[in-house]
Amino acid sequence: MTIVAENGRAFTAFADPNRLEAHMKELSPADADLITDFCDGIRQFEQFDMALMQKKPRELMDPGDWLEFNRKNCAVCPAFGQVGHDVRAGICRQVSGSPCCAAPFR
Protein backbone atom coordinates (compact mmCIF):
# COMPACT_ATOMS: atom_id res chain seq x y z
CA MET A 1 0.00 0.00 0.00
CA THR A 2 1.30 3.43 -0.89
CA ILE A 3 0.09 6.73 0.50
CA VAL A 4 0.97 9.88 -1.42
CA ALA A 5 0.94 13.22 0.40
CA GLU A 6 -0.22 16.45 -1.19
CA ASN A 7 3.42 17.44 -1.68
CA GLY A 8 4.02 14.30 -3.75
CA ARG A 9 6.08 12.39 -1.18
CA ALA A 10 5.02 8.77 -0.95
CA PHE A 11 5.07 6.28 1.92
CA THR A 12 4.88 2.61 1.00
CA ALA A 13 3.92 0.11 3.72
CA PHE A 14 6.16 -2.79 2.71
CA ALA A 15 5.39 -6.23 4.14
CA ASP A 16 9.12 -6.98 4.33
CA PRO A 17 10.42 -5.29 7.51
CA ASN A 18 13.87 -4.75 5.97
CA ARG A 19 12.44 -2.85 3.00
CA LEU A 20 10.05 -0.97 5.30
CA GLU A 21 12.91 0.06 7.59
CA ALA A 22 15.08 1.30 4.70
CA HIS A 23 12.16 3.20 3.16
CA MET A 24 11.13 4.84 6.43
CA LYS A 25 14.72 5.91 7.13
CA GLU A 26 14.88 7.48 3.66
CA LEU A 27 11.77 9.48 4.48
CA SER A 28 12.84 10.44 8.00
CA PRO A 29 16.52 9.94 8.84
CA ALA A 30 16.07 11.82 12.12
CA ASP A 31 13.80 9.01 13.36
CA ALA A 32 16.30 6.23 12.56
CA ASP A 33 16.48 4.87 16.13
CA LEU A 34 12.71 4.77 16.53
CA ILE A 35 12.30 3.18 13.09
CA THR A 36 14.89 0.50 13.93
CA ASP A 37 13.09 -0.35 17.18
CA PHE A 38 9.73 -0.45 15.42
CA CYS A 39 10.98 -2.75 12.64
CA ASP A 40 12.79 -4.98 15.14
CA GLY A 41 9.43 -5.44 16.85
CA ILE A 42 7.81 -6.33 13.54
CA ARG A 43 10.54 -8.90 12.88
CA GLN A 44 9.67 -10.63 16.14
CA PHE A 45 6.18 -11.29 14.76
CA GLU A 46 7.68 -13.44 12.00
CA GLN A 47 7.75 -16.21 14.61
CA PHE A 48 4.05 -15.81 15.41
CA ASP A 49 2.17 -18.99 14.45
CA MET A 50 -1.48 -18.49 13.55
CA ALA A 51 -1.85 -22.00 12.09
CA LEU A 52 -3.80 -23.25 15.11
CA MET A 53 -6.40 -20.52 14.58
CA GLN A 54 -7.02 -21.91 11.08
CA LYS A 55 -7.51 -25.48 12.30
CA LYS A 56 -10.46 -24.71 14.51
CA PRO A 57 -12.73 -21.66 15.02
CA ARG A 58 -11.90 -19.71 18.19
CA GLU A 59 -15.28 -20.41 19.74
CA LEU A 60 -14.62 -24.17 19.44
CA MET A 61 -11.12 -24.07 20.91
CA ASP A 62 -10.81 -25.76 24.29
CA PRO A 63 -8.30 -24.92 27.07
CA GLY A 64 -5.80 -27.39 25.61
CA ASP A 65 -5.95 -25.62 22.23
CA TRP A 66 -5.37 -22.24 23.88
CA LEU A 67 -2.50 -23.65 25.93
CA GLU A 68 -0.83 -24.95 22.75
CA PHE A 69 -1.40 -21.62 20.98
CA ASN A 70 0.09 -19.65 23.89
CA ARG A 71 3.02 -22.05 24.29
CA LYS A 72 3.95 -21.61 20.63
CA ASN A 73 3.51 -17.85 20.63
CA CYS A 74 4.54 -16.61 24.08
CA ALA A 75 7.97 -15.64 22.75
CA VAL A 76 6.44 -12.80 20.72
CA CYS A 77 4.38 -11.31 23.55
CA PRO A 78 7.03 -8.69 24.43
CA ALA A 79 6.90 -7.54 20.80
CA PHE A 80 3.26 -6.51 21.18
CA GLY A 81 4.23 -4.09 23.93
CA GLN A 82 7.33 -2.80 22.12
CA VAL A 83 5.53 -2.08 18.86
CA GLY A 84 2.70 -0.35 20.76
CA HIS A 85 5.22 1.77 22.65
CA ASP A 86 7.10 2.71 19.47
CA VAL A 87 3.92 3.70 17.63
CA ARG A 88 2.77 5.77 20.60
CA ALA A 89 6.18 7.48 20.86
CA GLY A 90 6.07 8.37 17.16
CA ILE A 91 2.57 9.79 17.43
CA CYS A 92 3.55 11.84 20.49
CA ARG A 93 6.51 13.30 18.66
CA GLN A 94 4.39 14.17 15.60
CA VAL A 95 1.61 15.91 17.55
CA SER A 96 3.72 17.40 20.35
CA GLY A 97 3.25 20.90 18.95
CA SER A 98 -0.48 20.66 19.54
CA PRO A 99 -1.40 20.13 23.22
CA CYS A 100 -4.98 19.18 22.40
CA CYS A 101 -3.80 16.46 20.00
CA ALA A 102 -0.85 15.22 22.05
CA ALA A 103 -2.69 14.82 25.38
CA PRO A 104 -4.49 11.52 24.56
CA PHE A 105 -1.18 9.88 23.60
CA ARG A 106 0.78 10.65 26.80
Side-chain angles (χ1 to χ4, degrees):
M1 173 175 68
T2 299
I3 300 167
V4 180
E6 290 179 5
N7 66 3
R9 289 186 68 184
F11 169 76
T12 301
F14 292 103
D16 174 4
N18 297 327
R19 287 182 70 192
L20 176 64
E21 182 175 5
H23 177 60
M24 291 175 72
K25 286 179 177 179
E26 272 181 31
L27 294 174
S28 184
D31 293 320
D33 290 342
L34 182 64
I35 292 166
T36 296
D37 290 345
F38 177 72
C39 291
D40 284 347
I42 292 171
R43 286 182 194 96
Q44 290 180 20
F45 288 103
E46 292 174 334
Q47 303 168 23
F48 197 75
D49 182 9
M50 290 295 291
L52 183 61
M53 300 298 276
Q54 296 173 356
K55 291 179 185 175
K56 190 186 286 190
R58 287 184 349 178
E59 54 274 359
L60 298 179
M61 289 175 64
D62 61 35
D65 295 326
W66 285 108
L67 185 63
E68 179 184 356
F69 178 79
N70 289 330
R71 182 183 56 77
K72 287 182 175 181
N73 293 305
C74 69
V76 299
C77 289
F80 284 109
Q82 183 62 48
V83 170
H85 174 270
D86 293 344
V87 169
R88 189 174 141 234
I91 291 171
C92 286
R93 184 168 40 250
Q94 293 299 318
V95 298
S96 62
S98 172
C100 67
C101 293
F105 297 104
R106 289 199 174 106

mmCIF file with all atom_site columns, all heavy atoms in Angstrom, residues 17-31:
data_model
loop_
_atom_site.group_PDB
_atom_site.id
_atom_site.type_symbol
_atom_site.label_atom_id
_atom_site.label_alt_id
_atom_site.label_comp_id
_atom_site.label_asym_id
_atom_site.label_entity_id
_atom_site.label_seq_id
_atom_site.pdbx_PDB_ins_code
_atom_site.Cartn_x
_atom_site.Cartn_y
_atom_site.Cartn_z
_atom_site.occupancy
_atom_site.B_iso_or_equiv
_atom_site.pdbx_formal_charge
_atom_site.auth_seq_id
_atom_site.auth_comp_id
_atom_site.auth_asym_id
_atom_site.auth_atom_id
_atom_site.pdbx_PDB_model_num
ATOM 1   N N   . PRO A 1 17 ? 9.947  -6.299 6.545  1.00 0.00 ? 17 PRO A N   1
ATOM 2   C CA  . PRO A 1 17 ? 10.415 -5.294 7.506  1.00 0.00 ? 17 PRO A CA  1
ATOM 3   C C   . PRO A 1 17 ? 11.755 -4.654 7.131  1.00 0.00 ? 17 PRO A C   1
ATOM 4   O O   . PRO A 1 17 ? 11.986 -3.502 7.486  1.00 0.00 ? 17 PRO A O   1
ATOM 5   C CB  . PRO A 1 17 ? 10.531 -6.061 8.825  1.00 0.00 ? 17 PRO A CB  1
ATOM 6   C CG  . PRO A 1 17 ? 10.381 -7.492 8.506  1.00 0.00 ? 17 PRO A CG  1
ATOM 7   C CD  . PRO A 1 17 ? 9.776  -7.612 7.152  1.00 0.00 ? 17 PRO A CD  1
ATOM 8   N N   . ASN A 1 18 ? 12.596 -5.352 6.392  1.00 0.00 ? 18 ASN A N   1
ATOM 9   C CA  . ASN A 1 18 ? 13.867 -4.754 5.973  1.00 0.00 ? 18 ASN A CA  1
ATOM 10  C C   . ASN A 1 18 ? 13.639 -3.636 4.953  1.00 0.00 ? 18 ASN A C   1
ATOM 11  O O   . ASN A 1 18 ? 14.245 -2.561 5.038  1.00 0.00 ? 18 ASN A O   1
ATOM 12  C CB  . ASN A 1 18 ? 14.807 -5.819 5.402  1.00 0.00 ? 18 ASN A CB  1
ATOM 13  C CG  . ASN A 1 18 ? 15.187 -6.849 6.442  1.00 0.00 ? 18 ASN A CG  1
ATOM 14  O OD1 . ASN A 1 18 ? 15.311 -6.531 7.626  1.00 0.00 ? 18 ASN A OD1 1
ATOM 15  N ND2 . ASN A 1 18 ? 15.341 -8.088 6.018  1.00 0.00 ? 18 ASN A ND2 1
ATOM 16  N N   . ARG A 1 19 ? 12.766 -3.895 3.993  1.00 0.00 ? 19 ARG A N   1
ATOM 17  C CA  . ARG A 1 19 ? 12.439 -2.855 3.001  1.00 0.00 ? 19 ARG A CA  1
ATOM 18  C C   . ARG A 1 19 ? 11.708 -1.692 3.665  1.00 0.00 ? 19 ARG A C   1
ATOM 19  O O   . ARG A 1 19 ? 11.953 -0.528 3.343  1.00 0.00 ? 19 ARG A O   1
ATOM 20  C CB  . ARG A 1 19 ? 11.565 -3.435 1.882  1.00 0.00 ? 19 ARG A CB  1
ATOM 21  C CG  . ARG A 1 19 ? 12.360 -4.336 0.939  1.00 0.00 ? 19 ARG A CG  1
ATOM 22  C CD  . ARG A 1 19 ? 11.504 -4.859 -0.193 1.00 0.00 ? 19 ARG A CD  1
ATOM 23  N NE  . ARG A 1 19 ? 11.162 -3.780 -1.117 1.00 0.00 ? 19 ARG A NE  1
ATOM 24  C CZ  . ARG A 1 19 ? 10.255 -3.881 -2.068 1.00 0.00 ? 19 ARG A CZ  1
ATOM 25  N NH1 . ARG A 1 19 ? 9.583  -5.014 -2.245 1.00 0.00 ? 19 ARG A NH1 1
ATOM 26  N NH2 . ARG A 1 19 ? 9.979  -2.870 -2.877 1.00 0.00 ? 19 ARG A NH2 1
ATOM 27  N N   . LEU A 1 20 ? 10.792 -2.011 4.586  1.00 0.00 ? 20 LEU A N   1
ATOM 28  C CA  . LEU A 1 20 ? 10.049 -0.970 5.300  1.00 0.00 ? 20 LEU A CA  1
ATOM 29  C C   . LEU A 1 20 ? 11.013 -0.076 6.083  1.00 0.00 ? 20 LEU A C   1
ATOM 30  O O   . LEU A 1 20 ? 10.921 1.153  6.018  1.00 0.00 ? 20 LEU A O   1
ATOM 31  C CB  . LEU A 1 20 ? 9.023  -1.603 6.250  1.00 0.00 ? 20 LEU A CB  1
ATOM 32  C CG  . LEU A 1 20 ? 8.235  -0.635 7.122  1.00 0.00 ? 20 LEU A CG  1
ATOM 33  C CD1 . LEU A 1 20 ? 7.360  0.270  6.260  1.00 0.00 ? 20 LEU A CD1 1
ATOM 34  C CD2 . LEU A 1 20 ? 7.389  -1.396 8.123  1.00 0.00 ? 20 LEU A CD2 1
ATOM 35  N N   . GLU A 1 21 ? 11.949 -0.706 6.791  1.00 0.00 ? 21 GLU A N   1
ATOM 36  C CA  . GLU A 1 21 ? 12.910 0.062  7.586  1.00 0.00 ? 21 GLU A CA  1
ATOM 37  C C   . GLU A 1 21 ? 13.742 0.995  6.704  1.00 0.00 ? 21 GLU A C   1
ATOM 38  O O   . GLU A 1 21 ? 13.898 2.182  7.000  1.00 0.00 ? 21 GLU A O   1
ATOM 39  C CB  . GLU A 1 21 ? 13.828 -0.881 8.360  1.00 0.00 ? 21 GLU A CB  1
ATOM 40  C CG  . GLU A 1 21 ? 14.817 -0.163 9.240  1.00 0.00 ? 21 GLU A CG  1
ATOM 41  C CD  . GLU A 1 21 ? 15.645 -1.098 10.100 1.00 0.00 ? 21 GLU A CD  1
ATOM 42  O OE1 . GLU A 1 21 ? 15.521 -2.340 9.964  1.00 0.00 ? 21 GLU A OE1 1
ATOM 43  O OE2 . GLU A 1 21 ? 16.416 -0.583 10.916 1.00 0.00 ? 21 GLU A OE2 1
ATOM 44  N N   . ALA A 1 22 ? 14.270 0.469  5.604  1.00 0.00 ? 22 ALA A N   1
ATOM 45  C CA  . ALA A 1 22 ? 15.083 1.296  4.699  1.00 0.00 ? 22 ALA A CA  1
ATOM 46  C C   . ALA A 1 22 ? 14.262 2.455  4.132  1.00 0.00 ? 22 ALA A C   1
ATOM 47  O O   . ALA A 1 22 ? 14.738 3.598  4.077  1.00 0.00 ? 22 ALA A O   1
ATOM 48  C CB  . ALA A 1 22 ? 15.640 0.426  3.575  1.00 0.00 ? 22 ALA A CB  1
ATOM 49  N N   . HIS A 1 23 ? 13.025 2.165  3.743  1.00 0.00 ? 23 HIS A N   1
ATOM 50  C CA  . HIS A 1 23 ? 12.156 3.200  3.157  1.00 0.00 ? 23 HIS A CA  1
ATOM 51  C C   . HIS A 1 23 ? 11.828 4.279  4.187  1.00 0.00 ? 23 HIS A C   1
ATOM 52  O O   . HIS A 1 23 ? 11.893 5.484  3.883  1.00 0.00 ? 23 HIS A O   1
ATOM 53  C CB  . HIS A 1 23 ? 10.879 2.534  2.636  1.00 0.00 ? 23 HIS A CB  1
ATOM 54  C CG  . HIS A 1 23 ? 9.877  3.471  2.068  1.00 0.00 ? 23 HIS A CG  1
ATOM 55  N ND1 . HIS A 1 23 ? 10.136 4.301  0.988  1.00 0.00 ? 23 HIS A ND1 1
ATOM 56  C CD2 . HIS A 1 23 ? 8.585  3.715  2.424  1.00 0.00 ? 23 HIS A CD2 1
ATOM 57  C CE1 . HIS A 1 23 ? 9.053  5.018  0.710  1.00 0.00 ? 23 HIS A CE1 1
ATOM 58  N NE2 . HIS A 1 23 ? 8.109  4.679  1.565  1.00 0.00 ? 23 HIS A NE2 1
ATOM 59  N N   . MET A 1 24 ? 11.479 3.869  5.396  1.00 0.00 ? 24 MET A N   1
ATOM 60  C CA  . MET A 1 24 ? 11.133 4.843  6.431  1.00 0.00 ? 24 MET A CA  1
ATOM 61  C C   . MET A 1 24 ? 12.331 5.719  6.793  1.00 0.00 ? 24 MET A C   1
ATOM 62  O O   . MET A 1 24 ? 12.182 6.923  7.033  1.00 0.00 ? 24 MET A O   1
ATOM 63  C CB  . MET A 1 24 ? 10.582 4.126  7.667  1.00 0.00 ? 24 MET A CB  1
ATOM 64  C CG  . MET A 1 24 ? 9.217  3.497  7.428  1.00 0.00 ? 24 MET A CG  1
ATOM 65  S SD  . MET A 1 24 ? 8.623  2.528  8.834  1.00 0.00 ? 24 MET A SD  1
ATOM 66  C CE  . MET A 1 24 ? 8.237  3.825  10.005 1.00 0.00 ? 24 MET A CE  1
ATOM 67  N N   . LYS A 1 25 ? 13.524 5.120  6.814  1.00 0.00 ? 25 LYS A N   1
ATOM 68  C CA  . LYS A 1 25 ? 14.724 5.912  7.129  1.00 0.00 ? 25 LYS A CA  1
ATOM 69  C C   . LYS A 1 25 ? 15.057 6.894  6.007  1.00 0.00 ? 25 LYS A C   1
ATOM 70  O O   . LYS A 1 25 ? 15.602 7.966  6.276  1.00 0.00 ? 25 LYS A O   1
ATOM 71  C CB  . LYS A 1 25 ? 15.905 4.985  7.412  1.00 0.00 ? 25 LYS A CB  1
ATOM 72  C CG  . LYS A 1 25 ? 15.773 4.309  8.768  1.00 0.00 ? 25 LYS A CG  1
ATOM 73  C CD  . LYS A 1 25 ? 16.935 3.374  9.038  1.00 0.00 ? 25 LYS A CD  1
ATOM 74  C CE  . LYS A 1 25 ? 16.818 2.760  10.418 1.00 0.00 ? 25 LYS A CE  1
ATOM 75  N NZ  . LYS A 1 25 ? 17.937 1.822  10.694 1.00 0.00 ? 25 LYS A NZ  1
ATOM 76  N N   . GLU A 1 26 ? 14.716 6.530  4.774  1.00 0.00 ? 26 GLU A N   1
ATOM 77  C CA  . GLU A 1 26 ? 14.880 7.476  3.657  1.00 0.00 ? 26 GLU A CA  1
ATOM 78  C C   . GLU A 1 26 ? 13.978 8.684  3.864  1.00 0.00 ? 26 GLU A C   1
ATOM 79  O O   . GLU A 1 26 ? 14.371 9.817  3.611  1.00 0.00 ? 26 GLU A O   1
ATOM 80  C CB  . GLU A 1 26 ? 14.478 6.818  2.336  1.00 0.00 ? 26 GLU A CB  1
ATOM 81  C CG  . GLU A 1 26 ? 15.555 6.088  1.622  1.00 0.00 ? 26 GLU A CG  1
ATOM 82  C CD  . GLU A 1 26 ? 15.032 5.494  0.309  1.00 0.00 ? 26 GLU A CD  1
ATOM 83  O OE1 . GLU A 1 26 ? 14.106 6.072  -0.317 1.00 0.00 ? 26 GLU A OE1 1
ATOM 84  O OE2 . GLU A 1 26 ? 15.545 4.448  -0.080 1.00 0.00 ? 26 GLU A OE2 1
ATOM 85  N N   . LEU A 1 27 ? 12.749 8.408  4.300  1.00 0.00 ? 27 LEU A N   1
ATOM 86  C CA  . LEU A 1 27 ? 11.773 9.483  4.482  1.00 0.00 ? 27 LEU A CA  1
ATOM 87  C C   . LEU A 1 27 ? 12.063 10.336 5.708  1.00 0.00 ? 27 LEU A C   1
ATOM 88  O O   . LEU A 1 27 ? 11.772 11.529 5.717  1.00 0.00 ? 27 LEU A O   1
ATOM 89  C CB  . LEU A 1 27 ? 10.358 8.899  4.593  1.00 0.00 ? 27 LEU A CB  1
ATOM 90  C CG  . LEU A 1 27 ? 9.815  8.218  3.343  1.00 0.00 ? 27 LEU A CG  1
ATOM 91  C CD1 . LEU A 1 27 ? 8.469  7.564  3.642  1.00 0.00 ? 27 LEU A CD1 1
ATOM 92  C CD2 . LEU A 1 27 ? 9.691  9.212  2.196  1.00 0.00 ? 27 LEU A CD2 1
ATOM 93  N N   . SER A 1 28 ? 12.611 9.714  6.763  1.00 0.00 ? 28 SER A N   1
ATOM 94  C CA  . SER A 1 28 ? 12.835 10.443 8.002  1.00 0.00 ? 28 SER A CA  1
ATOM 95  C C   . SER A 1 28 ? 14.098 9.959  8.711  1.00 0.00 ? 28 SER A C   1
ATOM 96  O O   . SER A 1 28 ? 14.024 9.236  9.709  1.00 0.00 ? 28 SER A O   1
ATOM 97  C CB  . SER A 1 28 ? 11.615 10.283 8.923  1.00 0.00 ? 28 SER A CB  1
ATOM 98  O OG  . SER A 1 28 ? 11.777 11.043 10.090 1.00 0.00 ? 28 SER A OG  1
ATOM 99  N N   . PRO A 1 29 ? 15.259 10.372 8.229  1.00 0.00 ? 29 PRO A N   1
ATOM 100 C CA  . PRO A 1 29 ? 16.520 9.942  8.836  1.00 0.00 ? 29 PRO A CA  1
ATOM 101 C C   . PRO A 1 29 ? 16.633 10.308 10.325 1.00 0.00 ? 29 PRO A C   1
ATOM 102 O O   . PRO A 1 29 ? 17.260 9.593  11.094 1.00 0.00 ? 29 PRO A O   1
ATOM 103 C CB  . PRO A 1 29 ? 17.592 10.659 8.018  1.00 0.00 ? 29 PRO A CB  1
ATOM 104 C CG  . PRO A 1 29 ? 16.936 11.068 6.751  1.00 0.00 ? 29 PRO A CG  1
ATOM 105 C CD  . PRO A 1 29 ? 15.478 11.220 7.060  1.00 0.00 ? 29 PRO A CD  1
ATOM 106 N N   . ALA A 1 30 ? 16.005 11.390 10.722 1.00 0.00 ? 30 ALA A N   1
ATOM 107 C CA  . ALA A 1 30 ? 16.068 11.817 12.124 1.00 0.00 ? 30 ALA A CA  1
ATOM 108 C C   . ALA A 1 30 ? 15.403 10.811 13.063 1.00 0.00 ? 30 ALA A C   1
ATOM 109 O O   . ALA A 1 30 ? 15.709 10.778 14.257 1.00 0.00 ? 30 ALA A O   1
ATOM 110 C CB  . ALA A 1 30 ? 15.411 13.183 12.279 1.00 0.00 ? 30 ALA A CB  1
ATOM 111 N N   . ASP A 1 31 ? 14.511 9.999  12.544 1.00 0.00 ? 31 ASP A N   1
ATOM 112 C CA  . ASP A 1 31 ? 13.798 9.012  13.361 1.00 0.00 ? 31 ASP A CA  1
ATOM 113 C C   . ASP A 1 31 ? 14.405 7.619  13.245 1.00 0.00 ? 31 ASP A C   1
ATOM 114 O O   . ASP A 1 31 ? 13.753 6.621  13.551 1.00 0.00 ? 31 ASP A O   1
ATOM 115 C CB  . ASP A 1 31 ? 12.325 8.963  12.942 1.00 0.00 ? 31 ASP A CB  1
ATOM 116 C CG  . ASP A 1 31 ? 11.590 10.245 13.280 1.00 0.00 ? 31 ASP A CG  1
ATOM 117 O OD1 . ASP A 1 31 ? 11.840 10.802 14.361 1.00 0.00 ? 31 ASP A OD1 1
ATOM 118 O OD2 . ASP A 1 31 ? 10.766 10.684 12.460 1.00 0.00 ? 31 ASP A OD2 1
#
